[in-house]
Amino acid sequence: MHVLIDAGALCVETMIEKGVSAPDVLFLTHPHFDHVSDLDRLANSRMRGIMVQRGARDFEEKEEEECLFRPLTVIGTDDCLNHPLDGVRTRFGYLEGLVRWMPIPGYDLWHSVQGLDGPDDFAGAEYPFHLEFKALPVRHSKHAPGSCLFIFRFRSDELRDRSGEQGKGSLLFRNVVISGDLKSMEDWVIKSPDLRDPACMVLDSNTIKASGKYHASFEENKALIRRWCSGDEEVLVLLNHLSGFGDYRDGNYDHVPDDEDWKAAVEEFVPPPMVTVRIAEDGACFAPPQFD
Ligand SMILES: [Zn+2]
Ligand SMILES: [Zn+2]
């Protein structure tokens, strides 16, 4: 199963360049343009890709057509998708049919991708994992209603089969946390046990030191890393959304920090034991130890 988080511009090119298959499910953290601007091209290119890949031209049998051309499932909070002014659906509603909008029914509840009135089977493919997720609200910008972070967890099919009940298999892997854009979180969110010692977490780190209005800095994220990582488990922390402009504006640097500056900042930080912090480079492949 290919799960994509957010669809900002160049994601289609990057996936083609890297030979990554079209996603089955798209999760949206919030409706800002830099996170959704490629949604139209993604939905169209994906359908075109499916047609070419399957050599399908024959639309005669309705059932088969539905199975072959399963729309892209787009999952986001209700406000992220449906907000009357800023919701993604407000701008991309015309993609209905190429995508299937799936608002998340509530925060802090585990949902199963397979069980959310969704892609119960992915036409012919075999997936070894049962994917579950939950959304927790984050503070970002007033023009990004419904901003959230996602926590994913995976259950093994094998165990699920043995228990004989869907979704009741033993937990096999630790959580994966994807922050989306965030400035801060309410206290109850920060305290969520689901954020403790994940296998991997991706954090929005817009600046190195400068405290911005809408995004967390690496400095602020250090506090989160120390809080969430006990030091008893291996955790891979990836920093993304790097800009650094605020560091230049605030005089922390006499230039906008470049790759070397970011690298130096990461190297200076001493995280808790067993925690690795890295910059998420474009197109790079990362695997937490337990996924190797
Ligand atoms: Zn944003
Ligand atoms: Zn952003």
Side-chain angles (χ1 to χ4, degrees):
M1 189 196 304
H2 175 191
V3 172
L4 182 66
I5 323 291
D6 291 340
L10 288 193
C11 80
V12 173
E13 271 92 347
T14 308
M15 282 189 285
I16 291 171
E17 212 177 277
K18 301 283 171 188
V20 176
S21 65
D24 304 291
V25 184
L26 171 67
F27 284 86
L28 295 178
T29 59
H30 66 297
H32 272 162
F33 280 108
D34 60 320
H35 295 254
V36 300
S37 57
D38 241 6
L39 179 53
D40 182 302
R41 283 174 2 106
L42 175 67
N44 280 285
S45 307
R46 175 181 169 276
M47 209 53 100
R48 171 73 183 141
I50 293 172
M51 288 172 78
V52 172
Q53 187 187 31
R54 308 219 166 133
R57 278 185 219 99
D58 191 354
F59 296 90
E60 272 167 36
E61 284 191 35
K62 183 82 179 102
E63 256 175 50
E64 196 180 322
E65 178 195 329
E66 274 174 6
C67 176
L68 277 175
F69 301 103
R70 191 175 289 278
L72 173 66
T73 299
V74 180
I75 299 176
T77 61
D78 194 40
D79 267 352
C80 172
L81 297 186
N82 295 325
H83 189 277
L85 285 180
D86 297 305
V88 178
R89 211 168 169 175
T90 315
R91 280 175 277 152
F92 292 98
Y94 60 90
L95 290 174
E96 191 78 54
L98 285 178
V99 308
R100 172 174 31 197
W101 308 103
M102 213 179 282
I104 301 168
Y107 288 112
D108 202 20
L109 297 166
W110 286 108
H111 301 287
S112 135
V113 169
Q114 288 85 349
L116 195 70
D117 177 31
D120 31 17
D121 63 336
F122 287 94
E126 277 179 30
Y127 297 106
F129 298 117
H130 184 73
L131 178 66
E132 295 174 329
F133 68 93
K134 73 159 62 175
L136 293 174
V138 298
R139 298 191 191 103
H140 176 36
S141 126
K142 69 172 178 182
H143 291 296
S147 292
C148 73
L149 63 80
F150 286 113
I151 307 172
F152 295 95
R153 68 184 184 191
F154 307 85
R155 290 171 186 277
S156 98
D157 261 3
E158 212 180 294
L159 292 168
R160 185 181 57 178
D161 287 345
R162 220 179 291 160
S163 76
E165 238 182 301
Q166 276 237 335
K168 290 278 186 314
S170 302
L171 197 58
L172 201 65
F173 293 111
R174 282 184 288 139
N175 296 348
V176 171
V177 176
I178 312 279
S179 82
D181 289 4
L182 86 165
K183 172 63 197 171
S184 60
M185 284 155 280
E186 288 172 58
D187 221 38
W188 70 269
V189 175
I190 293 191
K191 286 180 180 158
S192 166
D194 294 311
L195 293 167
R196 291 194 64 85
D197 287 325
C200 177
M201 73 176 136
V202 181
L203 292 176
D204 166 20
S205 301
N206 199 55
T207 47
I208 294 175
K209 290 180 181 151
S211 186
K213 243 169 135 177
Y214 306 113
H215 294 271
S217 63
F218 180 42
E219 207 53 43
E220 288 163 327
N221 282 334
K222 287 177 188 175
L224 293 180
I225 293 167
R226 288 195 192 101
R227 172 163 202 148
W228 288 336
C229 304
S230 65
D232 298 331
E233 304 265 14
E234 275 188 85
V235 180
L236 174 63
V237 180
L238 297 172
L239 310 178
N240 73 352
H241 216 292
L242 315 183
S243 153
F245 184 75
D247 292 311
Y248 171 61
R249 186 198 53 211
D250 286 10
N252 296 318
Y253 288 78
D254 62 4
H255 56 280
V256 175
D258 56 23
D259 290 359
E260 293 307 311
D261 297 316
W262 276 99
K263 240 182 252 166
V266 169
E267 271 163 28
E268 265 169 37
F269 174 49
V270 182
M274 322 234 338
V275 177
T276 308
V277 181
R278 292 185 62 179
I279 287 162
E281 287 125 26
D282 282 351
C285 191
F286 299 95
Q290 62 173 349
F291 284 83
D292 277 350

